[in-house]
Amino acid sequence: MSGAQTSFALNSDTSIPAVGFGTYLISNDDAETAISSAISAGYRHIDTASGYRNEQTVGAGIRKGLQAEGLTRADLFVTAKLWPGNPAWGDAPKTGAQTIKECDASLSRLGLDYVDLYLIHAPYGGDMRLEQWRALLELQNSGKARSVGVSNFNESHLDEIAAAGLPMPDANQIELHPWSQKPDLLAHMARYGIAPIAYSSLVPLSTWRTEPGQDSAKTDEMKADDTAFKNMANKYGVSEAQLLLRWGVQNGYAVLPKSLNPDRMRQNIDLFSFAIDETDMALMATMDRGDGVAWASGDPSK
Ligand code: A2P
């Protein structure tokens, strides 16, 4: 692997950049500048969702960034997500027809005529889950989504699709970092040929979501535990964030770091000038703490 544009296969004819720019918790005031700066910093994948409520300003940032860099739409990979509803919150699950309309609405807010990847954001669709998946396959057939997948799905949700005899998702976007390694789910996904995309790779950082309003379900034990990765990062002469992101790409997971700080943006995409050695990868493999903390906080939009 070398260069920021390294990519991973998504299906037989599509690949996804190894490093993308996440947009969760980026406000509408910040999004246009942040996304355009990210494109100028070298990001070629922008990950967004209707649940983040910033698609319009993310779309403006995409246009600004492409123009500033003399790029075209085809140079960029864009991921969007269906909010599936959640009966547990009195939020009716989307039907198949509503799913198609939701994708159209996202495309219109983003100002795009297709997305590279469209995901069901969460398995909250209940009885409608398979109907939503069928609608995504229709969106792929009609060219509105080049690839289709899911997010936050567990083994049983994937088995449900397989049992219905439907084509399997190209990808499952899940919380993945050394504290949440999900080996069983990843093995299950590998059996189905589903690519992992990692979100919240930076959870173990002491600087992760510390601004007011950025809820974090990190335990006090986690907050106190900030030396292992620092020491390892020092050994490679990189930042802790680079070490955590490199752990993801070295395992074959596309990662989606987000920062509003241009220096950190550049740092987070600079992952290919060093490699974590086998001893440290083996040590990191022992640091799993089970379920993640980002999704576990129950936030509806991530
Ligand atoms: P900031 O925007 O001030 O850089 P996630 O992608 O899971 O939402 O995590 C993003 C969080 O991690 C934000 O709080 C962001 O803060 C912080 N962050 C991102 N990159 C770095 C970095 N290279 N060093 C330190 N903190 C970072």
Side-chain angles (χ1 to χ4, degrees):
M1 285 193 298
S2 70
Q5 294 321 309
T6 299
S7 55
F8 297 123
L10 211 45
N11 54 35
S12 53
D13 51 19
T14 321
S15 58
I16 183 169
V19 193
F21 189 72
T23 63
Y24 177 49
L25 292 177
I26 299 188
S27 73
N28 282 301
D29 287 342
D30 292 332
E32 182 173 347
T33 305
I35 278 70
S36 137
S37 308
I39 293 171
S40 294
Y43 290 81
R44 294 294 176 265
H45 173 195
I46 306 296
D47 175 273
T48 187
S50 64
Y52 303 166
R53 306 200 182 284
N54 57 11
E55 287 173 312
Q56 222 152 356
T57 46
V58 167
I62 288 174
R63 284 188 295 282
K64 191 173 168 187
L66 291 181
Q67 195 181 16
E69 296 306 310
L71 299 169
T72 67
R73 168 68 183 90
D75 296 316
L76 198 67
F77 188 102
V78 179
T79 298
K81 307 185 194 88
L82 166 79
W83 184 250
N86 184 350
W89 301 334
D91 176 11
K94 306 284 189 310
T95 62
Q98 285 170 330
T99 296
I100 306 280
K101 275 196 190 147
E102 286 290 319
C103 181
D104 286 338
S106 284
L107 288 173
S108 144
R109 285 189 292 265
L110 287 162
L112 300 176
D113 49 18
Y114 71 91
V115 285
D116 296 273
L117 179 63
Y118 195 56
L119 306 176
I120 300 178
H121 203 145
Y124 296 160
D127 289 351
M128 289 292 153
R129 202 161 40 234
L130 281 177
E131 195 173 318
Q132 291 174 356
W133 179 242
R134 285 192 188 91
L136 259 68
L137 293 168
E138 211 178 305
L139 287 164
Q140 186 178 26
N141 281 334
S142 64
K144 288 179 183 170
R146 295 269 161 99
S147 297
V148 286
V150 294
S151 180
N152 300 300
F153 272 42
N154 66 24
E155 288 93 322
S156 67
H157 304 126
L158 300 174
D159 289 344
E160 180 184 54
I161 297 175
L166 296 170
M168 295 304 285
D170 290 317
N172 187 15
Q173 190 186 118
I174 52 180
E175 181 178 340
L176 276 178
H177 45 76
W179 288 352
S180 184
Q181 302 193 26
K182 302 183 171 69
D184 296 340
L185 177 56
L186 286 168
H188 211 71
M189 286 161 51
R191 281 193 286 275
Y192 286 131
I194 300 172
I197 302 174
Y199 71 74
S200 293
S201 300
L202 300 178
V203 160
L205 285 186
S206 54
T207 46
W208 186 75
R209 293 192 194 166
T210 48
E211 295 293 316
Q214 299 185 336
D215 59 313
S216 161
K218 275 163 96 164
T219 60
D220 289 341
E221 191 195 351
M222 286 174 174
K223 284 181 187 163
D225 186 2
D226 66 351
T227 52
F229 299 120
K230 261 190 199 133
N231 293 341
M232 223 182 260
N234 285 342
K235 168 174 159 184
Y236 297 100
V238 297
S239 71
E240 254 184 291
Q242 285 171 303
L243 179 88
L244 291 165
L245 294 164
R246 174 73 204 189
W247 175 87
V249 297
Q250 204 163 311
N251 278 315
Y253 318 146
V255 294
L256 303 168
K258 180 208 72 205
S259 178
L260 292 182
N261 171 321
D263 287 338
R264 288 176 174 177
M265 277 182 197
R266 280 190 290 276
Q267 187 189 104
N268 294 348
I269 206 168
D270 178 13
L271 307 178
F272 302 96
S273 54
F274 73 104
I276 305 171
D277 67 30
E278 272 178 37
T279 311
D280 288 336
M281 284 302 274
L283 182 63
M284 290 169 101
T286 66
M287 294 177 174
D288 194 10
R289 297 172 180 214
D291 286 342
V293 303
W295 184 261
S297 67
D299 190 300
S301 50
K302 179 63 214 168

